[in-house]
Amino acid sequence: MNGSGPKTDLRRSRERMVRDQIEARGVSQPEVLRAMRKVPRHLFVEEALIPQAYEDHPLPIGHGQTISQPYVVAWMTELLAVAPGHKVLEIGTGSGYQAAVLAELGADVFTVERVKPLYELARARMDALRYRRVRLKLDDGTLGWPEEAPFDRILVAAGGPRIPAPLVGQLSETGRMVIPVGASRRSQTLCLVRRENGRVIVRELGGVMFVDLVGTHGW
């Protein structure tokens, strides 16, 4: 036995992803790196795309949506500063990959997806991979998940022209939200939103490109 084979190759590719795409670009929180090493990203893409699963770019998952670039997932996760037991709302479940990373950090994850086929596929993945800390909902993400609020952390995996007011309202005191904001995919800025002493503080962190956050309310 030489320890080689498809599973070993994928594991090595995942390790290279973390080392060369994530650590090398400044993500350093040990818990985040550990989660990125553990979650099998190749199980969150279509079979034909498995050879590209650990490359440094987003991949299509159907219905005009994508699984985010690994570095962006790690960067946003680190910005959230998730601790075990945190209640985390994710807007835009997509493939379920980001939710799995958050669950690996010990968070209780509430994730909302508006596209029914993606929601159903993500739910099946969560069941198959036994991510028991992830709850899914098919709904308009701009509304959040009011019956489960407040949330310690909110992560939005799609961009819109402004920060939806319902999401700000569902942040706990001292809560954090990471969200891309911009009028189009080519003019989005990743923002860190914090509640502190009754105030809402927004910090702009750099340019990103996300699919559109589409909803019927909350704008």
Side-chain angles (χ1 to χ4, degrees):
M1 299 289 291
N2 60 8
S4 63
K7 288 185 178 179
T8 300
D9 291 344
L10 288 166
R11 190 163 55 247
R12 288 173 177 167
S13 295
R14 189 157 63 248
E15 178 57 40
R16 282 195 298 271
M17 174 192 79
V18 174
R19 183 186 66 234
D20 298 341
Q21 302 170 29
I22 296 171
E23 282 189 286
R25 295 175 69 180
V27 175
S28 61
Q29 187 177 350
E31 295 80 7
V32 173
L33 298 175
R34 191 177 305 117
M36 297 297 293
R37 285 189 174 98
K38 187 169 182 181
V39 178
R41 191 172 188 259
H42 64 277
L43 297 182
F44 292 83
V45 301
E46 295 177 6
E47 188 173 357
L49 295 175
I50 286 177
Q52 301 178 56
Y54 296 106
E55 295 179 4
D56 194 23
H57 54 74
L59 292 170
I61 59 172
H63 307 277
Q65 306 300 301
T66 62
I67 180 174
S68 295
Q69 176 185 358
Y71 167 71
V72 172
V73 171
W75 181 33
M76 292 177 73
T77 303
E78 184 171 64
L79 288 169
L80 273 188
V82 175
H86 269 166
K87 196 172 184 180
V88 180
L89 173 65
E90 180 196 26
I91 304 302
T93 310
S95 69
Y97 178 66
Q98 175 72 77
V101 170
L102 293 169
E104 289 290 353
L105 295 173
D108 294 311
V109 184
F110 297 76
T111 180
V112 183
E113 174 57 55
R114 68 181 179 87
V115 180
K116 189 173 182 180
L118 293 180
Y119 160 80
E120 291 175 342
L121 187 55
R123 185 174 62 179
R125 284 194 181 108
M126 295 296 110
D127 289 342
L129 295 172
R130 298 184 179 180
Y131 281 109
R132 307 300 187 206
R133 304 187 76 129
V134 178
R135 289 177 56 186
L136 297 94
K137 183 181 184 183
L138 179 65
D139 207 349
D140 176 356
T142 61
L143 298 175
W145 199 325
E147 58 269 33
E148 290 292 345
F151 296 96
D152 301 298
R153 302 289 187 264
I154 298 177
L155 187 149
V156 184
R162 62 187 65 85
I163 300 168
L167 300 186
V168 176
Q170 290 172 36
L171 264 184
S172 67
E173 248 353 280
T174 75
R176 285 181 172 223
M177 172 165 52
V178 176
I179 180 172
V181 179
S184 72
R185 295 188 189 188
R186 299 193 178 278
S187 63
Q188 293 173 351
T189 300
L190 192 65
C191 294
L192 175 62
V193 181
R194 292 186 296 118
R195 292 187 70 122
E196 190 174 291
N197 299 322
R199 296 187 303 145
V200 176
I201 301 166
V202 180
R203 178 184 168 199
E204 296 184 353
L205 299 167
V208 289
M209 291 178 65
F210 278 83
V211 296
D212 294 332
L213 176 61
V214 178
T216 55
H217 302 85
W219 296 103

